[in-house]
Amino acid sequence: ASENFTFVCVSVDLDHFESDYNNIREQIDQLFEDANYRGVNLLAGDDLVTFFNEDRDNTLTTQGVDFTALGLGIDEGDFTNAADIQLSIDDVRSALASVRAFGQSIANDLSIIQTRRDFTESTINTLQAGADDLTVADQNEEGANLLALQTRQQLGVTSLSLAAQSQQSVLALF
């Protein structure tokens, strides 16, 4: 009688595992439906195009993948025999490999986008600093420069005046 009890518990456990498996499979489809951002769903096979310049001729296309349960190759679970259970395990392992490969692809594209963003931000900061150097002046420094130029101008006018007076003095001797 205890052997039958063990078999019944295993059967109940398998039914519970099958139910959990199929519930998770449904959750994958619901997650896929919620993975939409600005009209693009990479998990539904939509492609995301990133533009790097205003002419829109320098782009990076991130290709989406169908990550529904069927797109991942995860069929509805049937845990009535060991072969079907193994088939479900193989489906999940294959799906996991697909998800990891897609994750690596997304990570590579993200790295490219971040590098381009960092370069663009650095260029913008350099250009803004240059523009600030051209337009934002230190009032004290510029005032001192103006005073120095005015002093030079006055000294130049005085030296010309002295030169002209000395020539008139020489002419007055004749």
Side-chain angles (χ1 to χ4, degrees):
S2 65
E3 290 177 6
N4 288 340
F5 178 72
T6 306
F7 178 75
V8 171
C9 286
V10 170
S11 176
V12 170
D13 287 343
L14 286 179
D15 289 342
H16 180 71
F17 291 147
E18 180 181 324
S19 175
D20 286 348
Y21 177 87
N22 288 325
N23 185 29
I24 291 171
R25 185 180 173 278
E26 290 175 18
Q27 292 297 318
I28 290 172
D29 287 338
Q30 291 176 7
L31 175 69
F32 143 81
E33 291 172 3
D34 294 337
N36 190 13
Y37 179 72
R38 292 188 178 183
V40 176
N41 189 341
L42 289 172
L43 304 183
D46 295 345
D47 292 342
L48 174 66
V49 179
T50 304
F51 298 99
F52 292 116
N53 62 2
E54 67 231 11
D55 297 333
R56 296 180 157 241
D57 59 359
N58 194 346
T59 63
L60 173 69
T61 302
T62 303
Q63 295 182 350
V65 179
D66 181 9
F67 272 175
T68 60
L70 289 177
L72 288 169
I74 302 174
D75 294 325
E76 191 167 328
D78 178 17
F79 289 9
T80 55
N81 60 49
D84 289 338
I85 294 172
Q86 186 60 47
L87 183 62
S88 294
I89 291 171
D90 293 342
D91 288 348
V92 169
R93 285 186 179 150
S94 176
L96 184 58
S98 296
V99 169
R100 285 185 176 151
F102 182 67
Q104 289 175 342
S105 174
I106 292 274
N108 289 339
D109 288 353
L110 177 62
S111 176
I112 291 168
I113 290 169
Q114 286 177 333
T115 300
R116 297 286 299 256
R117 184 201 64 202
D118 293 345
F119 172 78
T120 302
E121 286 177 353
S122 175
T123 302
I124 288 170
N125 289 339
T126 300
L127 292 173
Q128 283 179 338
D132 288 346
D133 287 346
L134 291 173
T135 58
V136 178
D138 180 19
Q139 296 293 329
N140 292 331
E141 183 179 348
E142 295 305 321
N145 287 339
L146 178 62
L147 183 60
L149 288 173
Q150 287 174 340
T151 304
R152 283 187 195 148
Q153 181 183 17
Q154 288 176 351
L155 288 173
V157 168
T158 303
S159 65
L160 283 174
S161 175
L162 288 175
Q165 284 179 357
S166 65
Q167 287 177 358
Q168 286 178 356
S169 299
V170 170
L171 286 175
L173 294 174
F174 294 107

